[in-house]
Amino acid sequence: MDVAISAVASEFVSRFISFLVNKYSYSSHVRLEEKVKRLQNLLMRVHMVVEEADGRYIMNSRMVMQLELLSEAMYQGYHVVDTFRYQSLEDKGINEVCNSSVLPFAIPLKRTRTIACTRKDKVVNLELDGALESMQSVVDNMMEFVVLLGGCDRMVRRPYDSYLYYENIMFGRHAERQTLLNFLLQQNPPGDEPAILPIIGGRTVGKKTLVAHVCRDERVRSRFSSVLHLSGENLLKILEHESTILGEMLVVVEFATNVDDNDWRTFHSFVKRLATGSKVIIISKLQRLARFGSVKPIFLNNLSFEEFSYLFKTLAFGSANPKEHPRLVPIAQEYAKVLHMEESLLIVNTFANVLRNNLNVRFWLCLFNKSRRMIERNLSIYGVDLKIHMEQGYPLHLTDYALNPLRAIPYSATVP
């Protein structure tokens, strides 16, 4: 009799504890959902301001700094929301990705699910609290920015022309673009020689894309009579056509290697003879070339993971709504983690373009597995990251994407 009573009592206590845990988990999840909705509302407000700022000429350097803070907070907020959605899918057990052996993570066993989810809820809750606090602070302090933004002139925009371009990966770079616009549109003081702006950054971070995008602006196109593109190898050939150059010029020079000081002095002497108001932009990955600038250089760093993840997801889904493909969201998140190590926007655009054309879970998983194997294979062969050995001119092994051994040769093998 005592054994039966003890068994019944034990079962009752076990069910009661399970009931309390489930109730706590449910209420905790509801609170997390409420925080996510609040964060999404704040994100909508910040994103609206950032998008509006992208459509105006901001000539105030402090406003440009504020725009950079807004964009950073926005991408961090989106990352936290995606993390919560990924966790929600895993908790519901509908995340096909987590059941696949091709990814380095799996759904916890049923017996440990409650404990694991509780711990993960605490982590997500802390991330949400931090994101909410940061986002609320940004929103509280952006009123003055919004008021001043209303006094900035609007850009002439084509339909659907925004900060994101699928074809040449013009993404983000909100502050850098405004800084470059300011440089090109400001008049040089009377009698001063043409200003020179260096744009320095690693390979495939978007230096040429940034310049090309800004040069398409209506005010920039009307500001200069012509735009001349040169490479460091043919720097002095421009002297042969000096008599044919008329009006205010924008000269864009891309240096793959260092330039001889004598050649630069000869080129600079030519630049001084250009019409008043002419400008020069230097594009290079070599930081030592920043010494040729007459104004503060623009340094293009690699995108933060939050911004990189947002970019990859946006490119991979294209016009499709990620909410309609919930199983693909965590795959995109894991894909971004792998590709972010390579920090190459060229690689990102290549993979995203393939994924965008086939929104199928198994296809995405298959491609992810091949991508990871390719990166691991090249790392084992060369002992360096994919981006580094491509910059050094080594061939890229693509055997994992083909039935037979296949290698791709980088378009340039120049090493400074």
Side-chain angles (χ1 to χ4, degrees):
M1 185 66 178
D2 292 339
V3 175
I5 293 175
S6 177
V8 171
S10 177
E11 178 67 18
F12 175 77
V13 172
S14 178
R15 291 189 178 186
F16 180 70
I17 293 175
S18 179
F19 168 76
L20 291 178
V21 171
N22 290 334
K23 183 177 180 181
Y24 169 78
S25 299
Y26 174 76
S27 60
S28 175
H29 189 77
V30 170
R31 288 195 298 269
L32 289 177
E33 287 279 5
E34 293 175 350
K35 290 182 179 181
V36 170
K37 289 181 180 179
R38 182 183 168 197
L39 179 58
Q40 287 177 317
N41 290 333
L42 293 175
L43 275 171
M44 184 182 300
R45 295 174 62 183
V46 174
H47 200 155
M48 177 178 62
V49 173
V50 171
E51 188 171 340
E52 181 65 21
D54 280 337
R56 293 178 181 267
Y57 296 100
I58 303 177
M59 311 304 289
N60 186 307
S61 60
R62 300 299 177 183
M63 289 183 66
V64 173
M65 294 174 60
Q66 181 70 11
L67 175 60
E68 185 173 12
L69 294 176
L70 287 173
S71 61
E72 288 178 356
M74 180 182 72
Y75 294 124
Q76 290 173 359
Y78 278 123
H79 176 66
V80 172
V81 171
D82 285 344
T83 300
F84 176 79
R85 288 174 179 168
Y86 168 73
Q87 178 62 45
S88 298
L89 287 172
E90 185 176 340
D91 293 342
K92 293 176 182 178
I94 64 172
N95 188 1
E96 186 173 342
V97 180
C98 295
N99 292 321
S100 174
S101 60
V102 300
L103 294 183
F105 49 88
I107 290 182
L109 296 176
K110 185 175 182 180
R111 184 175 180 180
T112 61
R113 177 184 294 277
T114 301
I115 297 176
C117 288
T118 301
R119 291 176 180 174
K120 291 179 181 179
D121 281 350
K122 290 181 179 179
V123 174
V124 175
N125 189 52
L126 290 175
E127 292 181 352
L128 278 174
D129 288 341
L132 275 172
E133 183 179 355
S134 175
M135 191 64 60
Q136 188 63 59
S137 176
V138 167
V139 171
D140 292 342
N141 295 321
M142 75 178 183
M143 182 57 66
E144 185 178 16
F145 177 84
V146 173
V147 173
L148 294 174
L149 189 64
C152 299
D153 294 339
R154 287 187 177 276
M155 298 179 184
V156 178
R157 310 298 290 270
R158 297 184 298 272
Y160 308 107
D161 187 12
S162 62
Y163 60 86
L164 178 61
Y165 288 83
Y166 289 136
E167 294 182 356
N168 57 9
I169 317 182
M170 179 60 213
F171 174 82
R173 305 300 188 191
H174 311 279
E176 292 88 348
R177 188 178 60 232
Q178 292 289 350
T179 301
L180 181 54
L181 277 170
N182 291 347
F183 168 77
L184 294 176
L185 296 180
Q186 286 179 350
Q187 293 288 341
N188 294 330
D192 281 12
E193 61 188 52
I196 302 174
L197 170 67
I199 299 180
I200 310 297
R203 191 172 182 176
T204 71
V205 299
K207 301 183 296 296
K208 290 185 289 187
T209 302
L210 174 64
V211 174
H213 170 66
V214 171
C215 286
R216 285 198 296 267
D217 181 83
E218 292 295 334
R219 284 195 180 184
V220 173
R221 294 171 61 184
S222 61
R223 169 81 167 72
F224 300 99
S225 60
S226 58
V227 179
L228 182 62
H229 295 268
L230 300 174
S231 64
E233 289 75 13
N234 61 8
L235 181 65
L236 300 183
K237 287 186 178 181
I238 191 175
L239 275 65
E240 302 172 2
H241 307 280
E242 182 174 358
S243 60
T244 63
I245 296 177
L246 301 174
E248 297 181 3
M249 293 282 300
L250 171 58
V251 182
V252 181
V253 188
E254 181 182 2
F255 290 101
T257 60
N258 198 13
V259 58
D260 182 77
D261 286 347
N262 291 328
D263 289 345
W264 175 258
R265 281 192 288 268
T266 302
F267 173 76
H268 193 212
S269 297
F270 162 80
V271 168
K272 291 180 180 179
R273 298 193 294 272
L274 293 176
T276 302
S278 297
K279 306 273 187 176
V280 178
I281 296 176
I282 295 174
I283 299 176
S284 180
K285 64 179 180 181
L286 306 176
Q287 292 195 14
R288 57 182 174 269
L289 295 187
R291 69 185 188 275
F292 295 136
S294 62
V295 298
K296 185 178 179 180
I298 295 178
F299 292 100
L300 287 186
N301 299 316
N302 293 311
L303 299 176
S304 66
F305 174 71
E306 292 81 8
E307 190 172 2
F308 185 92
S309 178
Y310 182 88
L311 162 65
F312 182 76
K313 187 183 71 172
T314 304
L315 290 175
F317 283 97
S319 59
N321 187 350
K323 293 182 180 180
E324 298 178 358
H325 305 274
R327 289 181 174 85
L328 296 180
V329 174
I331 305 178
Q333 190 174 26
E334 292 300 318
Y335 227 131
K337 290 179 182 178
V338 173
L339 295 180
H340 185 248
M341 294 187 296
E342 307 308 323
E343 298 176 334
S344 173
L345 296 184
L346 180 62
I347 294 176
V348 168
N349 191 50
T350 301
F351 285 122
N353 183 61
V354 176
L355 294 173
R356 188 167 61 246
N357 293 327
N358 190 348
L359 300 178
N360 177 273
V361 174
R362 295 191 179 279
F363 175 77
W364 279 36
L365 286 173
C366 179
L367 191 62
F368 175 86
N369 196 29
K370 289 182 177 181
S371 302
R372 194 176 59 177
R373 286 203 306 265
M374 181 200 69
I375 292 174
E376 292 174 351
R377 180 188 299 273
N378 283 274
L379 181 61
S380 65
I381 294 174
Y382 299 105
V384 295
D385 289 339
L386 191 64
K387 180 182 179 183
I388 295 177
H389 87 252
M390 287 183 67
E391 288 183 351
Q392 295 177 345
Y394 293 112
L396 177 64
H397 286 261
L398 301 175
T399 305
D400 296 291
Y401 287 96
L403 297 177
N404 300 309
L406 178 65
R407 295 193 307 169
I409 306 298
Y411 72 92
S412 174
T414 304
V415 181

